[in-house]
Amino acid sequence: MAGQRDPGAEVAEEARRGIAYKWLALLTVSIGSYMGPLDGSIVNISFPRLTEIFGTDASVILWVSVAYLLVSTSLMLILGRVGDVHGRKKLYIIGFAIFTLGLTLCSLSQSVLQLIMFRVVQGVGAAMTVALGTAIVTAAFPSWERGKALGILGAVVSAGLLTGPILGGFLLDAFDWRSIFYLRVPI
């Protein structure tokens, strides 16, 4: 049948690449898949502090999260297609670099407008890593193991959403607001 892969060919392809490749791909993608949702939720707990520091309304500070989420969700489909055309791995690495650049720039922000604009940069990187990460894992695992791999990836995304507020609260108590950005740059 057209469009279906031969299971024997998948087994041969997996043996050629090595079993470790698929788990390394999953580990690498999991880091990016953890950081995106973590970043979406870690900032929310800092809203009262950011409102006080920047001396602005909560409605303005809300854009720190809205800008990130709006950009990252709206670009996922487009960037997924760009990755299909120009190479998923290459674009994933570029996305991770853009995300890290955004983290660094956010920690250096001197105004709320800069923080919002740098969150847009982060959102572009997050869109690239999330959109391409699932495709990379799907391509790395044979059809009979994709459900397990995508389930692990889904659990990692959930862990990022859950740990964001906890980690953010700890960082805000122990350090200043910039720490929610700069302490994650080395990761």
Side-chain angles (χ1 to χ4, degrees):
M1 281 194 215
Q4 289 190 348
R5 294 186 63 176
D6 176 23
E10 287 187 43
V11 171
E13 176 67 17
E14 183 177 358
R16 185 186 67 76
R17 283 193 296 192
I19 294 173
Y21 169 82
K22 65 184 177 187
W23 296 108
L24 184 60
L26 179 61
L27 176 65
T28 304
V29 167
S30 291
I31 294 169
S33 295
Y34 177 79
M35 294 298 284
L38 173 79
D39 206 68
S41 65
I42 196 171
V43 175
N44 295 347
I45 199 160
S46 69
F47 284 172
R49 180 93 39 101
L50 292 176
T51 301
E52 179 183 306
I53 288 168
F54 289 120
T56 189
D57 295 333
S59 61
V60 174
I61 295 297
L62 185 63
W63 277 97
V64 173
S65 278
V66 170
Y68 173 82
L69 293 171
L70 187 64
V71 169
S72 64
T73 56
S74 64
L75 290 179
M76 277 188 209
L77 289 175
I78 295 165
L79 292 171
R81 179 65 182 140
V82 171
D84 289 342
V85 172
H86 296 288
R88 293 176 187 140
K89 182 180 174 184
K90 178 173 77 171
L91 220 58
Y92 183 87
I93 293 169
I94 291 169
F96 212 88
I98 291 171
F99 182 85
T100 305
L101 174 67
L103 272 175
T104 304
L105 292 172
C106 284
S107 71
L108 299 173
S109 297
Q110 298 299 312
S111 70
V112 70
L113 181 60
Q114 284 182 347
L115 183 57
I116 292 168
M117 296 309 297
F118 297 150
R119 290 285 286 171
V120 168
V121 172
Q122 255 191 301
V124 172
M128 294 169 92
T129 58
V130 172
L132 300 169
T134 305
I136 290 169
V137 169
T138 300
F141 279 82
S143 60
W144 62 88
E145 286 186 309
R146 275 189 203 128
K148 177 178 22 176
L150 293 175
I152 291 169
L153 201 56
V156 168
V157 168
S158 297
L161 286 170
L162 290 171
T163 58
I166 297 166
L167 181 61
F170 171 76
L171 292 174
L172 286 172
D173 281 345
F175 307 103
D176 68 344
W177 70 270
R178 296 174 192 278
S179 66
I180 62 176
F181 299 106
Y182 70 73
L183 284 179
R184 293 181 292 131
V185 169
I187 298 171

